[in-house]
Amino acid sequence: MDFFKQVDPEKSMYRTTPQGVEFMLMKQDKQWWSRLVEQEKRPGFLKVDFDKWRDEGDSESEAEEEKAKRLEAYRQESLKKFEEEMKEEMESRAAIKYLKTWWLFAYNFFQFMGYSFIFVSCVIRYMMYHRDSFKDTWEFTGQMMMTCQLMAFLEYVHAEVGLVNSKPIFPLIQTLGRNFILFMVIYPEELMYPLPVVTYLFTTWSCIEVARYIFRFRYPFYMFNLIGKENLPAKIYKVMQWLRYSIWIPLYPLGFLLEAYCIFTAVPYYERSEKFSYQYGKYRLHYPLLMKLYLMMLAAGGTLLLKYMVRQRRRKAAVKRGKERERAAQERAAAHQHID
């Protein structure tokens, strides 16, 4: 539309109503307009709202008063619309948080039950049958271990999409490493099933996860947070916090050593069976060689993961010391005020 005179876009405004879109155009120069558009004949799509009509002879005060009323009505309606939008957004966030909470609870509970079954099965069967229990470890726990390890990829997804506050790379490294050993070293070679290292490895892996659960480590860490730490006794909460960042110190290095020993033990079997080894003309893909190369990758990945967990433990300890110093300073300040 070509207006009769220039308007000021900076001061002009508009609002959206159920009936349509209303514009309040502010003139660039304060002077009377005999019409709205540049052309003398009014376009057919324009209609006059006589409730807001003003003649040139109307007093300036009436025009200003009407203008103020319209501005106030616009502000009130904008504020109401903003409040409604904020209410809808808060309801949407609450629904998303509810779904997130129960999804993490269900996932963590499933993992805890699976690893508990593996750990209890390995321990009880060893207590009952001693070394004879090694030959049936895979039969009793292999399917459950594969299910739990495949489900563990969701930890990377949770971190990547922001469901949990952690870096995605570290759960990805751990999950890829365990799944490689499980699906590319143990599962394809049946002669590996009755070996003691498989039982020791399954026991260690499940012990890490179950211990984390009992002491509010990995899976229960989220589940107890859903309940609220204020519902736990303070001393129990502190002990569980300390164990969460300390129990990995003996378990993780043991797990890496068992993983390396499992690969070292499997190499002769794959050299004899030549599984996953292929000949392409002059070139040969020798799978046992790839397994040996993976041992070096395991050492690098394990070192990286341990350094990350050490940093996490130090950061948590530093935060705790900072809070204790702040609490002590507040207590000293309160004591000085009491003395004064």
Side-chain angles (χ1 to χ4, degrees):
M1 294 175 61
D2 295 323
F3 296 112
F4 182 70
K5 298 286 186 180
Q6 295 292 324
V7 298
D8 189 345
E10 300 278 335
K11 296 180 180 178
S12 300
M13 59 186 71
Y14 75 93
R15 65 176 179 176
T16 304
T17 67
Q19 291 75 29
V21 183
E22 295 183 0
F23 291 86
M24 181 178 289
L25 304 176
M26 308 303 292
K27 301 174 184 176
Q28 198 171 63
D29 299 321
K30 293 186 177 180
Q31 54 180 306
W32 178 257
W33 286 13
S34 59
R35 56 183 181 270
L36 178 64
V37 293
E38 186 178 15
Q39 63 189 66
E40 293 186 6
K41 184 179 180 181
R42 178 167 59 87
F45 60 84
L46 283 182
K47 295 182 180 180
V48 178
D49 185 353
F50 287 100
D51 292 335
K52 300 178 182 178
W53 176 269
R54 289 292 178 272
D55 292 319
E56 188 175 5
D58 292 342
S59 64
E60 188 71 21
S61 60
E62 289 181 358
E64 291 295 329
E65 184 179 350
E66 183 64 25
K67 177 182 175 182
K69 288 181 179 178
R70 280 183 284 170
L71 285 172
E72 181 62 25
Y74 173 77
R75 291 192 187 95
Q76 291 295 333
E77 187 168 343
S78 299
L79 180 61
K80 183 179 179 181
K81 184 178 179 181
F82 175 75
E83 290 176 348
E84 290 176 354
E85 291 176 352
M86 287 298 296
K87 184 179 179 181
E88 291 177 358
E89 185 177 354
M90 292 298 292
E91 291 176 352
S92 175
R93 288 184 179 181
I96 292 173
K97 184 178 179 181
Y98 178 83
L99 292 174
K100 167 187 169 181
T101 296
W102 285 103
W103 163 251
L104 290 176
F105 181 87
Y107 167 76
N108 295 329
F109 184 75
F110 176 84
Q111 290 291 79
F112 164 68
M113 294 300 293
Y115 283 117
S116 296
F117 170 79
I118 296 169
F119 180 75
V120 172
S121 177
C122 290
V123 172
I124 291 181
R125 293 185 68 258
Y126 181 80
M127 293 173 62
M128 293 175 61
Y129 305 110
H130 303 289
R131 298 183 66 87
D132 292 337
S133 65
F134 296 156
K135 61 183 180 181
D136 296 325
T137 296
W138 179 265
E139 180 181 351
F140 280 91
T141 61
Q143 293 294 328
M144 181 60 70
M145 179 61 76
M146 289 192 291
T147 302
C148 290
Q149 288 302 325
L150 287 175
M151 289 285 291
F153 277 109
L154 289 175
E155 293 185 31
Y156 166 74
V157 177
H158 293 163
E160 188 67 42
V161 301
L163 286 180
V164 296
N165 186 22
S166 63
K167 295 182 178 181
I169 184 64
F170 296 105
L172 180 62
I173 290 175
Q174 176 175 298
T175 306
L176 285 175
R178 288 185 178 181
N179 277 278
F180 174 81
I181 293 172
L182 187 61
F183 289 97
M184 300 300 294
V185 177
I186 300 175
Y187 176 68
E189 182 54 67
E190 295 183 1
L191 295 176
M192 291 287 296
Y193 296 174
L195 295 182
V197 66
V198 174
T199 301
Y200 298 148
L201 184 62
F202 281 16
T203 304
T204 303
W205 280 353
S206 58
C207 179
I208 291 172
E209 306 305 329
V210 172
R212 284 176 172 181
Y213 189 92
I214 294 175
F215 298 115
R216 196 172 178 255
F217 303 142
R218 190 186 211 153
Y219 306 121
F221 180 72
Y222 305 116
M223 294 174 66
F224 277 116
N225 275 337
L226 304 181
I227 300 172
K229 68 180 183 181
E230 64 276 1
N231 297 324
L232 294 173
K235 290 184 178 180
I236 294 179
Y237 181 78
K238 289 181 180 179
V239 170
M240 295 171 76
Q241 280 285 83
W242 181 85
L243 287 172
R244 181 189 175 213
Y245 291 97
S246 304
I247 197 67
W248 61 268
I249 295 175
L251 292 178
Y252 262 77
L254 177 61
F256 289 135
L257 290 175
L258 286 172
E259 290 173 16
Y261 184 71
C262 183
I263 295 175
F264 181 79
T265 305
V267 167
Y269 294 105
Y270 283 91
E271 286 180 341
R272 287 196 297 267
S273 64
E274 295 189 350
K275 288 181 180 178
F276 306 129
S277 296
Y278 302 99
Q279 185 77 32
Y280 299 97
K282 298 180 180 179
Y283 303 99
R284 176 176 172 78
L285 176 63
H286 192 52
Y287 187 65
L289 178 61
L290 295 179
M291 295 172 65
K292 295 175 183 178
L293 293 175
Y294 178 77
L295 283 175
M296 294 186 288
M297 295 175 58
L298 177 64
T303 303
L304 185 65
L305 186 60
L306 289 175
K307 285 183 177 180
Y308 169 74
M309 299 192 73
V310 168
R311 287 197 302 269
Q312 287 286 92
R313 191 174 189 274
R314 289 177 178 174
R315 187 181 299 115
K316 188 67 179 180
V319 171
K320 182 180 178 181
R321 288 194 296 268
K323 289 182 179 179
E324 290 176 351
R325 286 196 295 266
E326 183 179 354
R327 191 182 304 111
Q330 291 175 354
E331 290 175 355
R332 288 196 298 269
H336 285 308
Q337 290 179 358
H338 180 70
I339 293 174
D340 294 340

